[in-house]
Amino acid sequence: MELYIGGYAQGKLTYVLKKTGISPERVYDPAAAVPDCAETGAAVINHFHILVKALLKEGKSPEDRVWEILAHNPGVIVISDEVGNGIVPTDAGEREYRERLGRILCGLAEKADKVERIVCGIGQKIK
């Protein structure tokens, strides 16, 4: 598994597709209306942070679902926005989302073979 993180609109997906040669058809995007990534065998999960937020809104455990996805797709590439920087939200739900996403990303980074931060379309190797 590989993890790519970075701010909003920093060229993460373009960077990953160019670097890996994976076609856009093999990208699961929870922001779009497509089948579940565990069922499609997607090579890339883009907008991972949106998947976590959607699971929280549905009252489901994002942690359990993430580990289930990884069990079915151990070589998946995960792309997520960094959401923990900046002003702490006043809304309790938004704080919980940021906290849980941060902890999930820490767990993913620990298990990942590769971790990179993307800024302005340029990758910075972390692990």
Side-chain angles (χ1 to χ4, degrees), residues 64-119:
D64 292 344
R65 185 67 182 122
V66 165
W67 302 125
E68 180 184 327
I69 291 167
L70 292 177
H72 287 94
N73 298 319
V76 73
I77 295 172
V78 176
I79 302 173
S80 181
D81 280 6
E82 291 179 304
V83 298
N85 299 329
I87 299 171
V88 176
T90 57
D91 179 72
E94 283 295 313
R95 286 194 308 272
E96 178 186 5
Y97 155 65
R98 287 171 58 153
E99 176 71 24
R100 289 181 71 183
L101 176 61
R103 290 184 187 277
I104 291 168
L105 290 174
C106 287
L108 291 177
E110 183 178 325
K111 293 187 181 312
D113 298 316
K114 179 187 291 186
V115 179
E116 287 190 44
R117 173 178 287 120
I118 313 302
V119 179

Side-chain angles (χ1 to χ4, degrees), residues 6 10 12 17 19-20 38 44 48 51 55 62 64 70 74-75 89 93 96 115 119 122-123 126-127:
Q10 291 298 309
K12 297 178 293 294
L17 295 181
K19 183 174 182 170
T20 64
V44 178
F48 177 79
L51 174 63
L55 290 167
D64 292 344
L70 292 177
E96 178 186 5
V115 179
V119 179
I122 300 169
I126 297 173
K127 176 181 176 186

